[in-house]
Amino acid sequence: MSQSLHLFTPSTLSKQCYSYPKPSFPTFSRRFTVTSVRFSSIRACSSDLDPSSSQVLLASDNGKGGGVLTPATRPPAQAVDSGSIEVDAVTEAELKENGFRSTRRTKLVCTIGPATCGFEQLEALAVGGMNVARINMCHGTREWHRAVIERVRRLNDEKGYAVAIMMDTEGSEIHMGDFGGPSSAKAEDGEIWTFSVRAFDSALPERTIIVNYDGFAEDVKVGDELLVDGGMVRFEVIEILGPDVKCRCTDPGLLLPRANLTFWRDGSLVRERNAMLPTISSKDWLDIDFGIQEGVDFIAISFVKSAEVINHLKSYIAARARDSDISVIAKIESIDSLKNLEEIIRASDGAMVARGDLGAQIPLEQVPSAQQKIVQLCRQLNKPVIVASQLLESMIEYPTPTRAEVADVSEAVRQRADALMLSGESAMGQFPEKALTVLRSVSLRIERWWREEKRHEAMELRDIGSSFSDNISEEICSSAAKMANNLEVDALFVYTKTGHMASLLSRCRPDCPIFAFTTTTSVRRRLNLQWGLIPFRLSFSDDMESNLNKTFALLKARNLIKSGDLVIAVSDMLQSIQVMNVP
Ligand SMILES: Nc1ncnc2c1ncn2[C@@H]1O[C@H](COP(=O)(O)OP(=O)(O)O)[C@@H](O)[C@H]1O
Ligand SMILES: C=C(OP(=O)(O)O)C(=O)O
Ligand SMILES: [K+]
Ligand SMILES: [Mg+2]
C-alpha cells in the first residue's frame, strides 16, 4: 500500500496546492520510502507545526498519502506474525448487516443488579449492545460483585466480547441504611419518622431509618428540610433527641434502601461538617483494593470535590496495579465538583455526569446546562464522558419510555457524549433489555439524522498535548477526521498501542466509524467507552504497510470490508495519514 514517495516538489506543490498560499518553509524533492496526507490536511498540519524543527511534511499524488516524518518515527522493517483479529459477534453482525457507516457511535453502560446479574442476562445485555458493565459498590457484597465480574470475563473470553467493567464507589455522602427486612418503605404525609445514627442489634423499630453519617444528629437543626433522593420524599426536622432526629413527612413517597440524603436550611443546601467527609471513605479504599485485585477497567469515584483526590488515587493505583492500567472516572455530582470542574477533568481519565445526585445538590433547572458544559469540556480535554441517571427511569416499571425520556436520550446523543448509562433500569427494573434497546435505537436514529443533515459540529478543538509530538498526533487526527468527512470515506483505521491516538480521532467525532486496532485486550476494553470506536485486538508491527495488508486480509476474510471500500489509516507508530481503497 505504501509506496516510494516523493517529498513535496515545487511542481506538485504548485500544481496540486494551487488554491493555497505557498508554504513559508523550503520544499525538497528526494526519494524516501515512507507511507504518507491529502493536501487539505498537509495544509492543516503545515500551518500549525513548527517550521523551524527538522520535521518534514510528505505528500504524493500517486500514493494518496502524506505525513510528518522525523528520524525517530521512521519505522524499522519488521516481520508480522499471521495472528488473528478479535472482534465480538455483535459488532461483526452489525458491520455485516448495516455496513460501516451505520454502526452505533454512542456507547452504552449498564448498571448490573439483581435483574441482570446472571450469565444469560449479562449475555443478553452484551447482545443488546452493552459496552461497559457498571457495578455500584453502594449495593451488594464484594462476593456478589466478584461473581458478576467473573461472569462478564467469561462472556468476553468465550464469546469474544470486550465488555469493560466499571466499579463505582459508594463515597461518603450521607445516605440511609437498608431497612432490615423489607426492600422499600412508604412514608405518608404527616407521619413522624426517626432518622437515627444509633446501631441497632435487632430489627429496626417501626418508622426508623438508619443514617450512615455519625455527625448527622449534630449537624441538623430543628426546621431543616430533609430530602430523600433530591426530593422524591421530603421531611421537616421537628425534634433532636441525642442520636435520634424526629422528622415529619411533608412530601410522601417511596423510601428506597441507601437513598441519598441532603438537608436544606433557608433554601440552601447545608454543608457543614458533612462537607469535610473524605471523598474516598475507608470502605471505599477496601473496595478500590478489591477493584484493583479483580483488574476492573474503570474506577468511578463518587462525589469528587477536587483534583487532589483523583491524583492521589491514580498514584495509589499506579503503585499497586503495575501491569494493569485502570482508568479513573470522576463523577460530577456535587457543588464542589462543578466549582473545580476543569482541574478535576484534567486530572481524571474520564467523567460521569451523575445527574441523580447532582440534581439533589443544585436546582434541577440548572442540571441541563451543567450537563452540556461537562460534556463539552470533556471533549475539549479529550476525556470520555458518560451521561447518567434517569435517562429511562419510567422503564423500571413500564415496557416503554415516556416521550420526554426519549427526548432526553436524544439530547445526550446530540451533544455527542461518549456514553449513556442505565442505572435502576438495568439493575433492578422489569425491562432491562428493552431499556437498552431504546438507548440503542434512539442513538442510532439521532446519529443517522445528524449525518444525513450533514451537521458537522463547529466545535473548535484546542491543542491539548504538552509535547510537540503530541501536537503532531492531534493535527494528524483532526486532519484525518476532516478528510474522512470531506471524502466521505467508509472508515478510519487507527493502529494504537496505548489507545491515545484512537481517542484523539474519537474526539473529532468524524462521520465514519473508527476501527481501532490495538494489541492488548485491556486497551481494547477501555476503548469501548469512547465515542465511535470499534475496538479490535490485533497483533501488529511498526511497519504500516504489512499492518494494513494483514488487516485487509483478515477483515475481508470475515466479510467485514470489501474491495473498493475507501479507508483512511493513521497510527501512533508512524505519524502519517494514508488514504486508500481496499484492494
Ligand atoms: N448490586 C446491587 N444489588 C442490589 N440492588 C442493586 C445493586 N445495584 C443496584 N441496585 C439497585 O438499583 C438501583 C439503582 O442503581 P444505582 O442508580 O446504581 O444506585 P443508587 O440508586 O444507589 O444511586 C439501586 O437503588 C438499587 O435498588
Ligand atoms: C450515577 C450516580 O451515582 P450513584 O448512582 O452512585 O448515586 C448519580 O448520582 O447520578
Ligand atoms: K455509587
Ligand atoms: Mg450519585
Side-chain angles (χ1 to χ4, degrees), residues 111 134 136-139 168-171 229 258 260 302-303 331-333 352-359 387-390 421 423-424:
T111 303
R134 166 185 180 251
N136 188 351
M137 304 310 280
C138 281
H139 309 278
D168 193 324
T169 62
E170 176 164 346
D229 249 350
R258 297 179 172 258
N260 163 277
S302 297
F303 296 102
K331 290 173 70 187
I332 309 300
E333 52 183 342
M352 184 195 293
V353 192
R355 306 186 305 180
D357 284 298
L358 188 60
V387 174
S389 295
Q390 298 186 343
M421 187 173 112
S423 300

Side-chain angles (χ1 to χ4, degrees), residues 41 51 111 179 267 319 478 480 517 521 531:
S41 18
T111 303
F179 301 120
S478 71
F517 304 101
T521 49
W531 192 97

Side-chain angles (χ1 to χ4, degrees), residues 476-486 492 504-505 508-512 568 577:
I476 285 181
C477 288
S478 71
S479 300
K482 203 200 286 167
M483 290 165 66
N485 293 346
N486 293 344
L492 277 154
L504 286 175
L505 268 185
C508 300
R509 305 294 195 256
D511 287 348
C512 67
I568 291 182
I577 302 180

Side-chain angles (χ1 to χ4, degrees), residues 296-338:
V296 300
D297 302 290
F298 301 96
I299 295 183
I301 297 297
S302 297
F303 296 102
V304 170
K305 296 181 188 125
S306 67
E308 212 186 320
V309 70
I310 300 286
N311 291 329
H312 180 105
L313 176 61
K314 289 193 73 162
S315 36
Y316 184 85
I317 292 173
R320 257 147 254 256
R322 266 163 228 270
D323 11 281
S324 66
D325 203 358
I326 301 176
S327 295
V328 174
I329 305 290
K331 290 173 70 187
I332 309 300
E333 52 183 342
S334 65
I335 294 174
D336 293 316
S337 62
L338 287 177

Side-chain angles (χ1 to χ4, degrees), residues 19 23 25 47 51 80 87 110 119 145 148 178 220 253 309 327 348 372 397 438 450 452 463 483 540 544 549:
S19 59
F25 43 88
S47 55
V80 185
V87 60
C110 300
F119 186 81
H145 293 293
V148 171
D178 290 320
V220 290
V309 70
S327 295
S348 313
Q372 171 151 324
E397 283 179 78
V438 172
W450 197 256
E452 283 168 359
D463 270 0
M483 290 165 66
F540 54 78
M544 276 295 280
N549 287 333

